[in-house]
Amino acid sequence: MLEQILSPDNLNLAYTKVARNKGTYGIDGMTPEQLLPFLEAHGEALRQSLLDGSYIPQPVRSVKIPKGGGKFRTLGIPTAIDRFIQRAIVQVLMPLYEAVFSENSYGFRPERGVEDAVKKCLQYFNDGYTWAVDMDLEKFFDSVCREKLMQILIRDIHDERVLCLIGSYVSSGIVEDGRPVHSSAGIHQGGPLSPLLANIMLNELDSELSLRGENFVRYADDMMIFCRSKASANQALKHITPYIEGNLLLRINGDKTIIAHADNVKFLGYGFFRTPQGYRIKIHEDSIARMKERVSAFSGREGDSERAGKYITGWMSHYRLADAGKFLEDMNRSPE
Protein backbone atom coordinates (compact mmCIF):
# COMPACT_ATOMS: atom_id res chain seq x y z
CA MET A 1 0.00 0.00 0.00
CA LEU A 2 2.83 2.43 0.76
CA GLU A 3 4.14 2.01 -2.78
CA GLN A 4 0.67 2.91 -4.07
CA ILE A 5 0.63 6.01 -1.88
CA LEU A 6 4.07 7.02 -3.16
CA SER A 7 3.39 6.27 -6.82
CA PRO A 8 4.16 9.18 -9.17
CA ASP A 9 0.53 9.52 -10.31
CA ASN A 10 -0.79 9.63 -6.75
CA LEU A 11 1.87 12.10 -5.60
CA ASN A 12 1.26 14.36 -8.59
CA LEU A 13 -2.46 14.40 -7.82
CA ALA A 14 -1.73 15.13 -4.14
CA TYR A 15 0.49 18.05 -5.07
CA THR A 16 -2.14 19.44 -7.45
CA LYS A 17 -4.79 19.40 -4.72
CA VAL A 18 -2.55 21.00 -2.09
CA ALA A 19 -1.49 23.72 -4.53
CA ARG A 20 -5.10 24.36 -5.57
CA ASN A 21 -6.32 24.59 -1.97
CA LYS A 22 -3.51 27.03 -1.10
CA GLY A 23 -3.95 27.65 2.62
CA THR A 24 -1.55 29.00 5.17
CA TYR A 25 1.89 27.90 6.33
CA GLY A 26 2.92 25.42 9.02
CA ILE A 27 5.63 25.78 11.65
CA ASP A 28 8.39 25.83 9.00
CA GLY A 29 6.93 28.86 7.25
CA MET A 30 6.70 27.13 3.85
CA THR A 31 3.65 28.16 1.84
CA PRO A 32 1.95 25.86 -0.67
CA GLU A 33 3.40 28.07 -3.43
CA GLN A 34 6.90 27.12 -2.23
CA LEU A 35 6.15 23.38 -2.21
CA LEU A 36 6.90 22.69 -5.88
CA PRO A 37 10.50 24.04 -5.80
CA PHE A 38 11.12 21.97 -2.66
CA LEU A 39 9.79 18.79 -4.26
CA GLU A 40 11.80 19.39 -7.44
CA ALA A 41 14.97 19.63 -5.34
CA HIS A 42 14.23 17.08 -2.58
CA GLY A 43 11.27 14.97 -3.74
CA GLU A 44 13.20 11.75 -4.29
CA ALA A 45 14.94 12.00 -0.91
CA LEU A 46 11.56 12.64 0.73
CA ARG A 47 10.05 9.62 -1.01
CA GLN A 48 12.96 7.40 0.07
CA SER A 49 12.67 8.52 3.70
CA LEU A 50 8.97 7.58 3.60
CA LEU A 51 9.79 4.17 2.13
CA ASP A 52 12.46 3.35 4.71
CA GLY A 53 10.44 4.72 7.64
CA SER A 54 12.88 7.46 8.62
CA TYR A 55 10.55 10.37 7.84
CA ILE A 56 9.27 12.23 10.91
CA PRO A 57 6.31 14.63 10.47
CA GLN A 58 6.63 18.14 11.86
CA PRO A 59 4.33 19.27 14.70
CA VAL A 60 1.26 21.23 13.63
CA ARG A 61 0.88 24.97 14.15
CA SER A 62 -1.99 25.86 16.47
CA VAL A 63 -4.40 28.47 15.06
CA LYS A 64 -7.60 29.72 16.72
CA ILE A 65 -10.54 30.40 14.39
CA PRO A 66 -13.56 32.42 15.61
CA LYS A 67 -16.79 30.36 15.58
CA GLY A 68 -19.27 32.95 16.89
CA GLY A 69 -20.46 33.86 20.35
CA GLY A 70 -16.93 34.72 21.43
CA LYS A 71 -15.84 31.09 21.06
CA PHE A 72 -12.96 29.69 19.03
CA ARG A 73 -12.12 26.47 17.23
CA THR A 74 -8.49 25.35 17.46
CA LEU A 75 -6.98 24.07 14.22
CA GLY A 76 -3.65 22.28 13.84
CA ILE A 77 -2.06 23.41 10.57
CA PRO A 78 0.47 20.90 9.18
CA THR A 79 3.42 22.03 7.08
CA ALA A 80 2.92 22.13 3.31
CA ILE A 81 5.09 19.00 3.01
CA ASP A 82 2.96 17.12 5.53
CA ARG A 83 -0.26 18.28 3.88
CA PHE A 84 1.11 16.87 0.63
CA ILE A 85 1.92 13.50 2.22
CA GLN A 86 -1.38 13.34 4.11
CA ARG A 87 -3.27 14.08 0.89
CA ALA A 88 -1.46 11.21 -0.83
CA ILE A 89 -2.47 8.87 2.02
CA VAL A 90 -6.10 10.00 1.90
CA GLN A 91 -6.37 9.43 -1.85
CA VAL A 92 -5.49 5.75 -1.42
CA LEU A 93 -7.45 5.12 1.79
CA MET A 94 -10.63 6.96 0.83
CA PRO A 95 -11.90 4.38 -1.73
CA LEU A 96 -11.19 1.58 0.76
CA TYR A 97 -13.33 3.20 3.45
CA GLU A 98 -15.99 4.64 1.16
CA ALA A 99 -16.97 1.03 0.48
CA VAL A 100 -17.87 0.49 4.16
CA PHE A 101 -18.99 3.92 5.40
CA SER A 102 -22.66 4.32 6.35
CA GLU A 103 -25.18 5.83 3.95
CA ASN A 104 -26.24 8.07 6.85
CA SER A 105 -22.80 9.69 7.15
CA TYR A 106 -22.43 12.92 5.15
CA GLY A 107 -19.43 14.90 6.41
CA PHE A 108 -16.16 15.13 4.47
CA ARG A 109 -17.14 12.54 1.90
CA PRO A 110 -17.14 12.67 -1.91
CA GLU A 111 -20.41 13.83 -3.50
CA ARG A 112 -21.99 14.43 -0.06
CA GLY A 113 -22.44 17.48 2.09
CA VAL A 114 -24.48 19.60 4.47
CA GLU A 115 -27.48 19.87 2.15
CA ASP A 116 -27.73 16.08 1.78
CA ALA A 117 -27.64 15.66 5.57
CA VAL A 118 -30.33 18.29 6.12
CA LYS A 119 -32.57 16.76 3.43
CA LYS A 120 -32.26 13.37 5.14
CA CYS A 121 -33.31 14.93 8.45
CA LEU A 122 -36.33 16.42 6.72
CA GLN A 123 -37.24 13.01 5.32
CA TYR A 124 -37.17 11.43 8.78
CA PHE A 125 -39.35 14.19 10.23
CA ASN A 126 -41.89 13.83 7.45
CA ASP A 127 -41.87 10.06 7.91
CA GLY A 128 -43.09 10.58 11.49
CA TYR A 129 -39.79 10.40 13.38
CA THR A 130 -40.38 13.80 14.95
CA TRP A 131 -38.25 13.41 18.09
CA ALA A 132 -34.48 13.58 17.89
CA VAL A 133 -31.50 12.88 20.11
CA ASP A 134 -29.26 15.85 19.33
CA MET A 135 -25.92 14.28 20.23
CA ASP A 136 -22.88 16.28 21.27
CA LEU A 137 -19.59 14.41 21.62
CA GLU A 138 -17.52 16.46 24.03
CA LYS A 139 -14.44 17.96 22.30
CA PHE A 140 -14.41 15.05 19.87
CA PHE A 141 -11.26 15.89 17.91
CA ASP A 142 -9.36 16.67 21.12
CA SER A 143 -10.46 13.53 22.96
CA VAL A 144 -10.18 10.69 20.43
CA CYS A 145 -8.33 7.78 22.01
CA ARG A 146 -5.37 7.28 19.70
CA GLU A 147 -4.87 3.66 20.74
CA LYS A 148 -8.50 2.86 19.93
CA LEU A 149 -8.21 4.57 16.56
CA MET A 150 -5.11 2.58 15.68
CA GLN A 151 -6.86 -0.66 16.69
CA ILE A 152 -9.61 0.15 14.20
CA LEU A 153 -7.11 0.99 11.45
CA ILE A 154 -5.21 -2.26 11.99
CA ARG A 155 -8.33 -4.23 10.98
CA ASP A 156 -8.33 -2.73 7.50
CA ILE A 157 -4.75 -1.62 6.75
CA HIS A 158 -2.27 -4.46 6.48
CA ASP A 159 0.83 -2.49 5.56
CA GLU A 160 2.63 -1.83 8.82
CA ARG A 161 4.59 1.03 7.25
CA VAL A 162 1.38 2.89 6.45
CA LEU A 163 0.07 2.31 9.98
CA CYS A 164 3.31 3.68 11.42
CA LEU A 165 3.13 6.72 9.16
CA ILE A 166 -0.47 7.45 10.16
CA GLY A 167 0.43 6.91 13.80
CA SER A 168 3.26 9.42 13.49
CA TYR A 169 0.82 12.01 12.16
CA VAL A 170 -1.70 11.34 14.91
CA SER A 171 0.98 11.95 17.56
CA SER A 172 3.03 14.60 15.73
CA GLY A 173 2.60 17.25 18.42
CA ILE A 174 1.46 20.89 18.51
CA VAL A 175 3.26 24.23 18.57
CA GLU A 176 1.27 27.08 20.11
CA ASP A 177 2.67 30.63 20.19
CA GLY A 178 6.09 29.19 19.41
CA ARG A 179 6.02 26.68 22.28
CA PRO A 180 5.53 22.90 22.01
CA VAL A 181 2.35 21.62 23.68
CA HIS A 182 2.07 18.00 24.79
CA SER A 183 -1.11 16.05 24.08
CA SER A 184 -1.75 12.36 24.66
CA ALA A 185 -5.17 12.19 22.99
CA GLY A 186 -6.99 13.59 19.99
CA ILE A 187 -6.40 14.09 16.28
CA HIS A 188 -5.32 17.43 14.86
CA GLN A 189 -8.22 19.15 13.12
CA GLY A 190 -6.85 21.06 10.15
CA GLY A 191 -4.99 18.67 7.85
CA PRO A 192 -6.27 16.45 5.02
CA LEU A 193 -6.02 13.28 7.13
CA SER A 194 -8.08 14.28 10.18
CA PRO A 195 -11.56 14.26 8.55
CA LEU A 196 -10.99 10.75 7.21
CA LEU A 197 -9.70 9.50 10.57
CA ALA A 198 -12.72 11.06 12.30
CA ASN A 199 -15.08 9.25 9.92
CA ILE A 200 -13.21 5.97 10.41
CA MET A 201 -13.58 6.30 14.18
CA LEU A 202 -17.23 7.32 14.09
CA ASN A 203 -18.15 4.71 11.49
CA GLU A 204 -17.94 2.31 14.45
CA LEU A 205 -20.81 4.25 16.02
CA ASP A 206 -22.70 4.30 12.70
CA SER A 207 -22.41 0.53 12.46
CA GLU A 208 -23.63 0.04 16.02
CA LEU A 209 -26.63 2.30 15.46
CA SER A 210 -27.47 0.45 12.25
CA LEU A 211 -27.30 -2.90 14.05
CA ARG A 212 -29.77 -1.54 16.62
CA GLY A 213 -32.13 -0.41 13.86
CA GLU A 214 -31.84 3.28 14.72
CA ASN A 215 -32.53 6.08 12.22
CA PHE A 216 -29.76 8.65 12.31
CA VAL A 217 -27.86 11.30 10.41
CA ARG A 218 -24.22 12.13 11.06
CA TYR A 219 -22.11 14.97 9.68
CA ALA A 220 -18.60 14.53 11.09
CA ASP A 221 -19.13 14.67 14.88
CA ASP A 222 -22.60 16.26 14.62
CA MET A 223 -25.25 13.56 14.97
CA MET A 224 -28.97 13.14 15.45
CA ILE A 225 -30.94 9.95 16.15
CA PHE A 226 -34.61 10.06 15.06
CA CYS A 227 -37.48 8.47 16.97
CA ARG A 228 -41.27 8.48 16.94
CA SER A 229 -41.69 9.59 20.56
CA LYS A 230 -39.84 11.40 23.30
CA ALA A 231 -39.76 8.21 25.37
CA SER A 232 -38.14 6.30 22.50
CA ALA A 233 -35.56 9.06 22.09
CA ASN A 234 -34.68 8.88 25.78
CA GLN A 235 -34.29 5.11 25.50
CA ALA A 236 -32.10 5.44 22.41
CA LEU A 237 -29.76 7.83 24.23
CA LYS A 238 -29.70 5.67 27.35
CA HIS A 239 -28.80 2.55 25.40
CA ILE A 240 -26.14 4.02 23.08
CA THR A 241 -24.29 5.95 25.80
CA PRO A 242 -22.47 2.90 27.27
CA TYR A 243 -21.23 1.94 23.79
CA ILE A 244 -19.91 5.43 23.05
CA GLU A 245 -18.20 5.87 26.39
CA GLY A 246 -17.22 2.25 27.09
CA ASN A 247 -16.31 0.93 23.62
CA LEU A 248 -15.21 4.02 21.72
CA LEU A 249 -13.82 5.79 24.82
CA LEU A 250 -15.48 9.05 23.80
CA ARG A 251 -17.48 11.37 26.06
CA ILE A 252 -21.05 12.56 25.61
CA ASN A 253 -21.55 16.17 26.63
CA GLY A 254 -24.50 15.88 28.99
CA ASP A 255 -25.17 19.63 28.96
CA LYS A 256 -25.36 19.93 25.17
CA THR A 257 -26.89 16.55 24.29
CA ILE A 258 -30.65 17.07 24.27
CA ILE A 259 -33.91 15.41 23.30
CA ALA A 260 -35.72 17.81 20.96
CA HIS A 261 -38.90 17.87 18.91
CA ALA A 262 -38.56 18.58 15.20
CA ASP A 263 -39.92 22.11 15.75
CA ASN A 264 -36.96 22.90 18.04
CA VAL A 265 -34.09 21.11 16.34
CA LYS A 266 -30.96 22.94 15.22
CA PHE A 267 -28.66 20.99 12.92
CA LEU A 268 -25.77 22.41 10.88
CA GLY A 269 -27.26 25.89 11.19
CA TYR A 270 -30.69 24.84 9.94
CA GLY A 271 -34.04 24.37 11.67
CA PHE A 272 -37.37 22.88 10.62
CA PHE A 273 -40.97 24.10 10.78
CA ARG A 274 -44.34 22.47 10.33
CA THR A 275 -46.83 23.31 7.58
CA PRO A 276 -50.11 21.62 6.58
CA GLN A 277 -48.15 19.86 3.83
CA GLY A 278 -45.44 18.60 6.20
CA TYR A 279 -42.14 19.83 7.59
CA ARG A 280 -39.99 22.30 5.70
CA ILE A 281 -36.47 23.66 6.13
CA LYS A 282 -35.62 27.05 7.60
CA ILE A 283 -32.53 28.90 8.74
CA HIS A 284 -32.29 28.53 12.49
CA GLU A 285 -32.90 31.68 14.52
CA ASP A 286 -29.42 31.44 16.07
CA SER A 287 -27.85 31.47 12.60
CA ILE A 288 -29.86 34.57 11.66
CA ALA A 289 -28.83 36.31 14.88
CA ARG A 290 -25.15 35.55 14.22
CA MET A 291 -25.47 36.85 10.67
CA LYS A 292 -26.98 40.12 11.95
CA GLU A 293 -24.17 40.42 14.50
CA ARG A 294 -21.57 39.92 11.79
CA VAL A 295 -23.20 42.43 9.43
CA SER A 296 -23.45 45.02 12.20
CA ALA A 297 -19.67 44.75 12.62
CA PHE A 298 -19.30 46.17 9.10
CA SER A 299 -19.81 49.80 9.98
CA GLY A 300 -18.33 53.12 9.02
CA ARG A 301 -15.12 52.19 7.27
CA GLU A 302 -14.48 52.53 3.55
CA GLY A 303 -15.51 49.40 1.65
CA ASP A 304 -17.48 47.91 4.56
CA SER A 305 -20.76 48.13 2.69
CA GLU A 306 -19.34 46.11 -0.18
CA ARG A 307 -17.83 43.54 2.19
CA ALA A 308 -21.12 43.22 4.05
CA GLY A 309 -22.94 42.67 0.76
CA LYS A 310 -20.53 39.92 -0.28
CA TYR A 311 -20.87 38.29 3.12
CA ILE A 312 -24.68 38.29 2.94
CA THR A 313 -24.60 36.90 -0.62
CA GLY A 314 -22.32 34.05 0.46
CA TRP A 315 -24.37 33.43 3.59
CA MET A 316 -27.61 33.20 1.61
CA SER A 317 -25.96 30.81 -0.85
CA HIS A 318 -24.90 28.58 2.05
CA TYR A 319 -28.50 28.45 3.30
CA ARG A 320 -30.14 28.08 -0.10
CA LEU A 321 -32.11 25.02 1.07
CA ALA A 322 -34.17 27.15 3.43
CA ASP A 323 -37.69 28.36 2.73
CA ALA A 324 -37.32 31.99 1.56
CA GLY A 325 -40.67 33.14 2.95
CA LYS A 326 -39.90 31.71 6.38
CA PHE A 327 -36.49 33.40 6.32
CA LEU A 328 -38.03 36.84 5.69
CA GLU A 329 -40.57 36.24 8.45
CA ASP A 330 -37.85 35.24 10.93
CA MET A 331 -35.62 38.14 9.86
CA ASN A 332 -38.37 40.61 10.72
CA ARG A 333 -39.14 38.89 14.02
CA SER A 334 -35.70 38.01 15.38
CA PRO A 335 -34.06 40.53 17.74
CA GLU A 336 -31.39 42.88 16.46
Side-chain angles (χ1 to χ4, degrees):
M1 180 181 282
L2 184 59
E3 283 76 12
Q4 185 181 357
I5 291 170
L6 299 178
S7 68
D9 286 348
N10 193 55
L11 292 178
N12 287 337
L13 180 60
Y15 166 74
T16 300
K17 289 186 176 180
V18 170
R20 185 191 306 137
N21 291 341
K22 296 183 180 179
T24 186
Y25 56 89
I27 64 167
D28 62 354
M30 181 189 293
T31 65
E33 291 79 10
Q34 297 170 310
L35 180 59
L36 182 57
F38 174 87
L39 293 175
E40 289 174 339
H42 307 287
E44 187 50 44
L46 175 63
R47 184 177 183 276
Q48 187 56 48
S49 68
L50 288 161
L51 282 169
D52 64 28
S54 62
Y55 180 77
I56 300 175
Q58 295 270 25
V60 298
R61 181 171 68 92
S62 178
V63 175
K64 295 188 183 301
I65 306 295
K67 54 184 283 188
K71 297 181 180 179
F72 293 86
R73 174 182 291 108
T74 301
L75 299 183
I77 308 299
T79 65
I81 297 167
D82 285 321
R83 289 210 291 280
F84 163 66
I85 298 169
Q86 287 188 29
R87 176 61 63 187
I89 296 170
V90 168
Q91 289 168 181
V92 171
L93 292 188
M94 184 67 83
L96 173 68
Y97 282 101
E98 276 297 307
V100 298
F101 280 165
S102 168
E103 283 296 308
N104 288 353
S105 164
Y106 294 92
F108 309 116
R109 295 183 60 189
E111 309 301 326
R112 287 168 168 256
V114 169
E115 292 187 3
D116 304 298
V118 173
K119 287 177 182 177
K120 187 65 174 179
C121 294
L122 181 67
Q123 177 187 323
Y124 280 132
F125 289 144
N126 282 324
D127 286 345
Y129 297 91
T130 54
W131 286 90
V133 180
D134 185 352
M135 181 84 70
D136 186 272
L137 298 176
E138 186 173 350
K139 296 181 179 178
F140 168 74
F141 281 92
D142 295 333
S143 62
V144 167
C145 175
R146 295 169 180 173
E147 291 78 10
K148 182 66 180 180
L149 174 61
M150 295 308 297
Q151 289 172 12
I152 295 168
L153 291 170
I154 287 169
R155 293 198 316 240
D156 305 307
I157 299 173
H158 307 298
D159 188 328
E160 188 172 339
R161 300 168 299 172
V162 175
L163 289 168
C164 288
L165 182 58
I166 294 173
S168 68
Y169 276 117
V170 170
S171 59
S172 61
I174 306 169
V175 171
E176 184 173 350
D177 296 327
R179 301 188 304 274
V181 177
H182 174 73
S183 64
S184 58
I187 49 181
H188 308 308
Q189 188 178 5
L193 192 54
S194 60
L196 177 60
L197 294 180
N199 273 335
I200 290 170
M201 184 76 173
L202 290 174
N203 189 58
E204 301 294 298
L205 176 54
D206 297 345
S207 298
E208 183 67 17
L209 288 168
S210 296
L211 283 173
R212 296 175 184 223
E214 300 286 6
N215 298 306
F216 67 95
V217 169
R218 183 174 65 79
Y219 188 95
D221 57 329
D222 290 315
M223 170 177 283
M224 290 206 297
I225 304 171
F226 299 87
C227 303
R228 291 192 180 274
S229 68
K230 185 175 183 179
S232 296
N234 277 300
Q235 285 295 105
L237 176 59
K238 178 182 177 181
H239 291 155
I240 200 61
T241 296
Y243 178 83
I244 293 172
E245 298 185 341
N247 293 64
L248 298 184
L249 306 179
L250 298 170
R251 297 190 300 272
I252 292 177
N253 188 324
D255 294 330
K256 294 184 178 180
T257 295
I258 60 173
I259 308 297
H261 191 268
D263 299 334
N264 301 313
V265 159
K266 177 185 176 184
F267 188 64
L268 302 176
Y270 283 94
F272 304 85
F273 68 102
R274 195 168 7 186
T275 74
Q277 294 76 37
Y279 278 93
R280 300 188 69 172
I281 300 168
K282 68 176 183 177
I283 307 173
H284 195 274
E285 292 82 359
D286 289 351
S287 301
I288 294 174
R290 278 201 296 272
M291 180 270 287
K292 288 186 171 184
E293 179 183 335
R294 180 73 182 273
V295 170
S296 69
F298 294 105
S299 59
R301 295 167 299 179
E302 184 179 351
D304 276 352
S305 178
E306 182 180 351
R307 283 193 287 270
K310 288 181 178 179
Y311 168 75
I312 292 171
T313 299
W315 188 87
M316 288 298 299
S317 176
H318 176 78
Y319 286 108
R320 59 183 175 267
L321 274 186
D323 181 276
K326 181 64 173 170
F327 166 66
L328 293 174
E329 177 188 329
D330 288 346
M331 272 289 288
N332 291 328
R333 189 173 53 213
S334 62
E336 294 292 339

